Amino acid sequence: MKEAKREIIIAGNWKMHKTNLQALDYLRHLIPAIGGEGKVTVFLAVPFTAIAPVVEAARNSGITIGSQNMHEAKEGAYTGEISGEMLKCVGAQFVILGHSERRTIFGEGNRRINHKLKRAFDSGLRPILCIGETWHERENGVAKEILEDQIRQGLEGIEESFIKQLILAYEPVWAIGTGQTATPDTAQEMHSFCRNELIKFCNPDTAEQIPILYGGSVQPENIRALMEKPDIDGALVGGASLSAELFSRIVNYQTINV
Ligand code: PGA
């Protein structure tokens, strides 16, 4: 097993799933199953409506609760939107930004994501910045250029003291929800590329400390091989995080056989 140089984070992203009743039932199953040994930090990004009750139910469990999105303004006439301050106030500690579903379905570009990142830091939330190429971009040999752009534009103007708190998630769009996971070698190549890109925005020691998560069809069966790679520091899990049983097996990847 590799020696962990960085914080290991396994993050679940429920997307638009689970009522509050379902969320609380899930936690009743998850908390005893993950045991809180502390080697892996568990994050759960739940729907806005579930944040407050889930924060309460997860108290003392070691699970960190966060949001899947937020608005870039501090406050204002933005009907239907949620600010970073509101999230912080109900107990969220992190926020996923730039998820490919936000980019493609809701038209969020790098500039807007950059504003959201700045606001997240100002609100005291730790952002998980998601980046990743489409299959078309990979086939055309521009995957790394896409990542470079997403990192450069995403982090533009952000101070190093904030960048230190960043979490990056490499999520190839073709692997999200498709069952087609990137091979550990492909993921490692892209993670190492991202880490080198980060050096343009902070000193090498800081870049060395930033956790880079892999996302895209992570399952109990493939997490171990991914986590063996030196630059893979955890996972962002969509579909499999909806089942407390599957998600706990991913969190416990170091100790259970699949
Ligand atoms: P998936 O989703 O695990 O269902 O592929 C990952 C994500 O969207 O973050």
Side-chain angles (χ1 to χ4, degrees):
M1 191 156 301
K2 87 174 174 199
E3 206 189 310
K5 283 191 280 187
R6 286 170 285 272
E7 186 183 5
I8 295 178
I9 299 171
I10 303 287
N13 172 15
W14 285 354
K15 308 191 179 183
M16 198 174 74
H17 293 282
K18 297 197 192 295
T19 62
N20 286 357
L21 276 181
Q22 291 166 334
L24 295 178
D25 183 56
Y26 173 101
L27 281 181
R28 273 192 290 276
H29 289 91
L30 183 71
I31 293 171
I34 58 177
E37 275 170 42
K39 282 187 204 138
V40 170
T41 306
V42 180
F43 278 30
L44 265 186
V46 304
F48 292 135
T49 45
I51 294 173
V54 166
V55 164
E56 189 51 43
R59 205 174 290 284
N60 302 323
S61 69
I63 302 173
T64 303
I65 306 303
S67 162
Q68 303 165 16
N69 182 33
M70 58 175 266
H71 195 268
E72 63 272 31
K74 191 168 167 37
E75 61 184 358
Y78 301 103
T79 302
E81 291 294 329
I82 302 277
S83 75
E85 226 167 276
M86 292 169 187
L87 294 171
K88 183 76 186 170
C89 187
V90 289
Q93 294 187 52
F94 74 94
V95 58
I96 297 176
L97 294 175
H99 189 279
S100 78
E101 285 148 22
R102 298 298 316 172
R103 291 178 188 265
T104 54
I105 306 171
F106 301 99
E108 290 185 14
N110 288 324
R111 220 179 122 75
R112 181 145 192 228
I113 292 161
N114 173 255
H115 290 149
K116 290 190 180 207
L117 271 169
K118 288 177 177 159
R119 181 65 59 199
F121 283 126
D122 284 346
S123 311
L125 294 168
R126 193 172 178 194
I128 301 182
L129 170 62
C130 299
I131 57 173
E133 80 285 359
T134 63
W135 184 252
H136 183 71
E137 289 159 347
R138 171 160 283 269
E139 289 256 275
N140 284 311
V142 295
K144 287 182 179 159
E145 274 168 54
I146 295 293
L147 297 187
E148 189 183 342
D149 272 4
Q150 290 173 334
I151 293 173
R152 181 171 40 79
Q153 293 183 46
L155 297 184
E156 200 180 295
I158 298 181
E159 289 170 25
E160 173 140 3
S161 60
F162 284 136
I163 292 187
K164 273 189 179 153
Q165 303 162 40
L166 180 74
I167 300 165
L168 201 63
Y170 168 61
E171 298 206 298
V173 179
W174 46 271
I176 296 178
T178 59
Q180 207 191 331
T181 324
T183 64
D185 285 342
T186 300
Q188 167 57 28
E189 182 191 346
M190 302 309 265
H191 281 226
S192 152
F193 174 80
C194 292
R195 199 172 300 288
N196 282 329
E197 287 301 303
L198 286 172
I199 293 175
K200 296 178 184 167
F201 299 89
C202 55
N203 77 52
D205 288 347
T206 302
E208 213 29 66
Q209 287 313 310
I210 295 175
I212 307 181
L213 316 185
Y214 167 79
S217 298
V218 172
Q219 293 288 340
E221 293 75 19
N222 56 31
I223 181 72
R224 225 177 172 151
L226 288 161
M227 290 302 298
E228 282 297 319
K229 296 294 176 186
D231 285 292
I232 301 182
D233 308 310
L236 182 51
V237 187
S241 77
L242 292 175
S243 148
E245 203 258 323
L246 286 181
F247 190 55
S248 66
R249 283 167 59 200
I250 294 173
V251 170
N252 296 334
Y253 75 93
Q254 290 166 322
T255 48
I256 60 167
N257 292 318
V258 289

